[in-house]
Amino acid sequence: MILTDYNLELKNKKTLQFIEDVTSNADEVQKKVLEEILSRNAHVEYLQTRGLNGHTDRETFKKTMPVITYEDIQPHIDRIANGDTSPILSSNAISEFLTSSGTSGGERKMMPTIEEELGRRSLLYSLLMPVMSQFVPGLDKGKGMYFLFIKSEAKTPSGLVARPVLTSYYKSTHFKDRPYDPYTNYTSPNETILCPDSYQSMYSQMLCGLCQHKEVLRVGAVFASGFIRAIKFLEKHWRFLCNDIRTGTIDSQINDQSVREAVTKILKPDPKLADFIEAECSKDSWQGIITRLWPNTKYVDVIVTGTMSQYIPTLDYYTNGLPLVCTMYASSECYFGVNLNPLCKPSEVSYTLIPTMAYFEFLPVQRNNGVNSSISVPKTLNEKEQQELVDLVDVKLGQEYELVVTTYSGLYRYRVGDVLRVAGFKNNAPQFNFICRKNVVLCIDSDKTDEVELQNAVKNAVNHLLPFDATLAEYTSYADTTTIPGHYVLYWELSLNGTTPIPPSVFEDCCLTIEESLNSVYRQGRVCDKSIGPLEIKIVEPGTFDKLMDYAISLGASINQYKTPRCVKFAPIVELLNSRAVSSFFSPKCPKWFPGHKQWINMN
Ligand code: AMP
């Protein structure tokens, strides 16, 4: 025991020292990372055709290589997906594609990755608990109840697997065969996490979490939305779960053999525990249910930065205000950084980018003043703008930047699409507040809907109104997270010229057409994960949008420049819209969704 403690302490110390070292030498590390990436990939087609000529220094790299978006490299990615194995982007073999929740043309973006990136991701994970243990001692004395899930995967025409980065990680030996470590000791057995059926996966993880309730010291999920979904699941299914705990048998709906076997090792008949859970869950109020059922929980580990901040009040309610801890910032392109002050308030969270993960550059972002204080980032960069990118150690406190990465897997000066603000420094490495994802207007779970997608979807839907001589005068939208799961609400103001009343089924068709027109991540959330509820259209009284404009102007918007916002968040505006709603319609069924890109269907 003493030996274990000693080892853990030593391991934590080493990890914290690593963070000290790489943040103190941030610039040197960044220089080395770029040299390493460019020298090993000197002969790849993408760098050669642009004339980098084997140079590995920052100056030549910046002068020669363009700053790009996904669409710029999509033809290369399509070639890899279609079976071209020549070194196009990376000299290493592409091991799989990571499908991002960011989309292009309605489909998930596909990030090529190489085997060794798994090691880099594991390294970032390994930093989290040593950091946390500085603030919350004793976390090695119990377990973490984390609701973790895999998503479906597809194969590209060439046979490469395409799946989300977390699915890739959980299925890797880095996760599955991790050696015993008190910090990765979870209540969910691997089999329950790796179960492809999301109901069985959730049910079995909840059951194991309840059985081990006294051992649980921390709870979490990746995003806040996922954790709230788990609470909702418990609300719906606690009677079955209690029955299983009372009798020591597993509900017959759980028919995945490996899940049953794994749960059997944990589940023992425990009528007292079943009585306790039943008593708590039958109470009228579910306020503080997390601390009631898992009384030793010290914090909730979920991302509540960015759009996820909309879930903070709900989490506070269910957890009786336990600390909400955002530990890391990552993406399919690359894992970026960690929060070195994890007990800070959600509004103050900043992530320290770890300089070994990739070569980072920063494109300054201007904020337009005004009511919307919209963020302006040019879509394609001219020569001058390309020169404005700064290195990691050169960012300025308080300034906002768009993140640009050059990764070990073959992305060069790639715009991730996130806007960050410099909040401070850890040694020489900057710490960033996550501000937003560019252009995203609506988000409930991992879906990211931008204004153009919304506009197209609405355009398709209004065709249903043509036979009634009705047109859409104005519209806006709102991500309603007061329902669980949350759902998109569209506020429509109509111009009615015809005399035939519009039947409700027509508006329901409009809802479904919008859903069918939205991107694949939205539709997957509706169909597979049930993490997004049916889309709603609220018809508002004529003149509502004039009132909205009056309101914006009363807050200081300029009359000349006023444009109807295509998404609203500000509570008084949502209230104004709701108070003028005359009817409401929901999508009657789920939209269609298939794993993989639509163009691959019939190709596999
Ligand atoms: P994906 O590529 O689907 O893994 O999504 C990655 C994106 O999720 C990032 O580029 C961010 O926009 C968002 N994201 C990841 N981590 C965080 C975080 N800690 N806070 C806010 N947004 C995050």
Side-chain angles (χ1 to χ4, degrees), residues 99-102 108 165 223 303 305-307 326 328-333 336 351 416 418 434 437 448:
T99 55
S100 159
S101 57
R108 286 173 177 269
V165 62
F223 289 112
I303 292 177
T305 39
T307 49
C326 300
M328 65 186 276
Y329 168 44
S331 76
S332 314
E333 291 87 340
F336 304 121
Y351 300 101
V416 174
D418 290 343
F434 181 91
R437 176 103 180 168
K448 298 173 171 62

Side-chain angles (χ1 to χ4, degrees), residues 23 94 103 107 120 126 154 171 232 343 346 469 520 567 570:
T23 53
I94 301 301
T103 54
E107 299 289 341
R120 242 167 243 114
S126 76
K171 286 188 162 184
K232 205 66 197 167
L343 290 187
D469 208 7
S520 149
C567 176
F570 190 44

